[in-house]
C-alpha cells in the first residue's frame, strides 16, 4: 500500500474512530453518574469533546505508527480511560455491570447509525460522486470500527469492560478472586494481541468473530 492510500485510509477512518472512542468513554461516565459516581463528571469527562478523551500517545501517535509500519494493515490504539470510583455507586457490584456495558453498547448503537447512513447514501447518492463514495466508505468504516471496539472491549480481561462485567456477574467470592487479576491484565492483553498477530489460527478466529459482527450490520441494511 503506497503512502497516498495510507493517507486516504486515515482520512476515512478518522471521523468514525474519533466518534467511537469519544461516545464510548462518555457513556461510561454518564452511566456512572446515573448510578451515583460523579468522578468522571467532575473531571469533565462526561462530554462529547474528543479532546477530553484523547490520549496523545495511545490515540494519535501509536495508531499512526502501527498504520505506517504495517503499511496500513494494522491500526491499534486506545483512549484515555474514564475514571470511575465503583465504591461511590449505589450498589457497586451490580451497578458495575451497567457502567461497563455502556461503552460497548454505545458502539453497537453507533454501528446501527452508520448502517443507516450507508444505506441512505447507497439509495440516494450518486455512484459516480466522489463525495458519495467518500462518505459511504466512512459509514462502512464506522460500522467496522465500532464492531472492533465493542467486541475487543468485551474480552473478559480486566481492566477491559468485559472483565468488569465478569466481576459484576460472578458470585462475591469468585468476583473478588477474579478482580485480583487486574494488575496482570495489561500484560495478558498485550500478549494476546501479539499472539493473535503471530499465531494464525488465533488471529483468524478473532477475524471471523469481527467478520460475523460486520456481516450482521451490513446484512441488516442490505449493504452486502
Amino acid at each position: 500500500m503506497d503512502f497516498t492510500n495510507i493517507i486516504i485510509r486515515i482520512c476515512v477512518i478518522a471521523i468514525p474512530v474519533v466518534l467511537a472512542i469519544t461516545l464510548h468513554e462518555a457513556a461510561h461516565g454518564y452511566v456512572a453518574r446515573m448510578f451515583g459516581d460523579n468522578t468522571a463528571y467532575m473531571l469533565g469527562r462526561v462530554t462529547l469533546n474528543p479532546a477530553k478523551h484523547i490520549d496523545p500517545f495511545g490515540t494519535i501517535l501509536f495508531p499512526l505508527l502501527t498504520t505506517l509500519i504495517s503499511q496500513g494493515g494494522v491500526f491499534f490504539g486506545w483512549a484515555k480511560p474514564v475514571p470511575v470510583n465503583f465504591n461511590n455507586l449505589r450498589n457497586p457490584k451490580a451497578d458495575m455491570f451497567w457502567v461497563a456495558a455502556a461503552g460497548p453498547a454505545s458502539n453497537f448503537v453507533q454501528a446501527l447509525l452508520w448502517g443507516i447512513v450507508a444505506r441512505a447514501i447507497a439509495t440516494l447518492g450518486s455512484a459516480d460522486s466522489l463525495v458519495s463514495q467518500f462518505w459511504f466508505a466512512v459509514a462502512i468504516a464506522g460500522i467496522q470500527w465500532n464492531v472492533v471496539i465493542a467486541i475487543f472491549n468485551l474480552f473478559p480481561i480486566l481492566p477491559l469492560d468485559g472483565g468488569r462485567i465478569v466481576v459484576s456477574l460472578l458470585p462475591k467470592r469468585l468476583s473478588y478472586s477474579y478482580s485480583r487479576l487486574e494488575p496482570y491484565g495489561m500484560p495478558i492483553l498485550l500478549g494476546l494481541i501479539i499472539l493473535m498477530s503471530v499465531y494464525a489460527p488465533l488471529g483468524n478466529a478473532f477475524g471471523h468473530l469481527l467478520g460475523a459482527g460486520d456481516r450482521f450490520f451490513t446484512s441488516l441494511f442490505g449493504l452486502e
Side-chain angles (χ1 to χ4, degrees):
M1 184 177 288
D2 61 36
F3 186 73
T4 301
N5 285 334
I6 293 174
I7 296 299
I8 293 172
R9 175 177 165 82
I10 291 172
C11 290
V12 167
I13 67 177
I15 295 171
V17 167
V18 168
L19 280 173
I21 63 175
T22 297
L23 293 174
H24 179 107
E25 298 301 336
H28 285 312
Y30 178 77
V31 175
R33 191 183 184 207
M34 284 179 58
F35 285 97
D37 177 42
N38 288 318
T39 305
Y41 177 76
M42 290 189 295
L43 293 174
R45 298 296 305 279
V46 185
T47 175
L48 298 182
N49 179 2
K52 295 289 187 178
H53 305 291
I54 288 175
D55 179 288
F57 180 74
T59 314
I60 301 173
L61 183 59
F62 193 78
L64 287 174
L65 286 174
T66 56
T67 300
L68 291 171
I69 291 171
S70 67
Q71 296 187 341
V74 176
F75 181 94
F76 180 74
W78 58 89
K80 190 187 301 180
V82 165
V84 176
N85 186 339
F86 292 102
N87 291 325
N88 288 340
L89 300 175
R90 287 187 285 273
N91 188 340
K93 190 171 181 298
D95 295 345
M96 183 187 299
F97 174 91
W98 301 108
V99 175
S106 76
N107 294 121
F108 286 130
V109 170
Q110 288 177 79
L112 282 170
L113 294 176
W114 282 117
I116 294 171
V117 171
R119 180 68 267 167
I121 293 172
T123 302
L124 304 174
S126 169
D128 298 325
S129 168
L130 290 178
V131 174
S132 294
Q133 292 174 17
F134 174 78
W135 283 106
F136 184 79
V138 169
I140 295 299
I143 294 172
Q144 294 171 340
W145 281 100
N146 275 287
V147 167
V148 169
I149 292 170
I151 291 178
F152 185 79
N153 274 280
L154 286 172
F155 278 17
I157 301 171
L158 290 166
L160 296 181
D161 300 329
R164 302 285 183 206
I165 291 171
V166 170
V167 170
S168 176
L169 294 177
L170 285 174
K172 191 172 183 179
R173 191 184 185 100
L174 286 174
S175 176
Y176 174 74
S177 298
Y178 193 82
S179 66
R180 295 183 67 183
L181 297 174
E182 184 164 354
Y184 312 103
M186 287 308 297
I188 292 172
L189 187 58
L190 290 173
L192 181 61
I193 292 169
I194 294 171
L195 188 58
M196 285 193 295
S197 66
V198 299
Y199 183 59
L202 186 59
N204 290 339
F206 183 56
H208 289 315
L209 181 62
L210 296 180
D214 288 341
R215 286 191 297 275
F216 171 80
F217 288 102
T218 55
S219 62
L220 186 65
F221 294 100
L223 300 170
E224 291 184 318

